[in-house]
Amino acid sequence: MTLTIYGVPKSRAIRTLWMANELKIPYTHVETGFGPDGCRNEAFLAINPKGQIPAIDDDGLVLSQSLAINLYFARRHGGPLAPADLSEEGQMLSWSFWSATEVEPPAMVTMYHTSMYAPADRKPELVQEALTKVAAPLATLEAHLASHGHLVGGRFTVADLNVVTCLFYLRFTPQALADFPHVRAYYEAALARPAARAAWALRGE
């Protein structure tokens, strides 16, 4: 088996790298950044015409979209992070899509307007609006974790990994989790996992 992961750790490729570390999959990491010198150059577009990172080439199968790649890894390699049956697979898909649509968009707004944009371009009112918007999904997650501990099957799975990497965009606004102790503990425990620490070390964090 030959697996190549394309992307840079300071991108959504961190999700793919973390998942590969969890599963102990041997891989080659090709650092591929953004723009014309990275994922938009001709050589990379020949591999992934979508021009997005992360992307993987797994024995000739090319996939993009980080959450989808992680779900594929889980099914391909099995183990405790993978669904045990069709019911668990449906739940893992549901939580992953939920995090991408309900948590990630407002969380990214908070990140851009507190850290990524130049100070003159930051809009605090958009941060407050995003924090208000993300509060409802965080309350949903808080209630589920309070009674279940994890998202699916009472154990850490690919669904947890995918959701935590969406919560990651709230790191510059820690007040977002202040009223959600179960979410905060869940998030911190996930990032303390050895495979997560190994992946985050690639970011220099």
Side-chain angles (χ1 to χ4, degrees):
M1 182 186 72
T2 59
L3 170 66
T4 303
I5 298 174
Y6 298 90
V8 288
K10 290 193 174 182
S11 74
R12 289 182 179 89
I14 192 65
R15 300 168 173 173
T16 307
L17 294 164
W18 179 6
M19 186 65 177
N21 287 341
E22 287 281 355
L23 298 175
K24 297 180 172 56
I25 310 169
Y27 64 87
T28 299
H29 179 205
V30 178
E31 294 230 3
T32 306
F34 297 99
D37 295 327
C39 61
R40 303 303 301 179
N41 72 32
E42 185 175 345
F44 183 76
L45 289 172
I47 298 167
N48 178 21
K50 294 176 183 176
Q52 298 173 323
I53 55 171
I56 64 166
D57 183 337
D58 188 20
D59 279 342
L61 173 65
V62 174
L63 289 177
S64 59
Q65 301 297 332
S66 57
L67 303 184
I69 291 169
N70 285 354
L71 291 161
Y72 162 77
F73 279 166
R75 283 294 307 273
R76 173 107 156 83
H77 297 280
L81 271 70
D85 52 31
L86 185 60
S87 173
E88 285 198 352
E89 181 171 18
Q91 294 174 68
M92 290 177 187
L93 288 165
S94 179
W95 279 112
S96 296
F97 294 163
W98 173 84
S99 66
T101 58
E102 300 298 317
V103 176
E104 186 176 55
M108 289 194 72
V109 170
T110 70
M111 179 184 71
Y112 280 114
H113 286 280
T114 57
S115 176
M116 301 296 289
Y117 290 155
D121 296 326
R122 298 175 188 174
K123 297 181 179 179
E125 66 274 17
L126 293 184
V127 174
Q128 291 308 310
E129 180 182 311
L131 289 173
T132 299
K133 187 174 183 179
V134 81
L138 288 175
T140 298
L141 183 59
E142 176 75 9
H144 183 86
L145 294 173
S147 58
H148 294 83
H150 289 91
L151 297 179
V152 180
R155 67 189 191 280
F156 184 85
T157 71
V158 63
D160 298 295
L161 192 155
N162 282 348
V163 169
V164 165
T165 57
C166 290
L167 292 172
F168 179 67
Y169 294 115
L170 292 168
R171 67 194 183 278
F172 298 109
T173 49
Q175 67 270 31
L177 302 184
D179 295 330
F180 306 107
H182 291 91
V183 176
R184 188 169 62 251
Y186 163 83
Y187 173 78
E188 292 172 353
L191 290 185
R193 293 173 66 87
R197 292 201 305 269
W200 253 258
L202 299 173
R203 293 171 60 98
E205 298 179 2

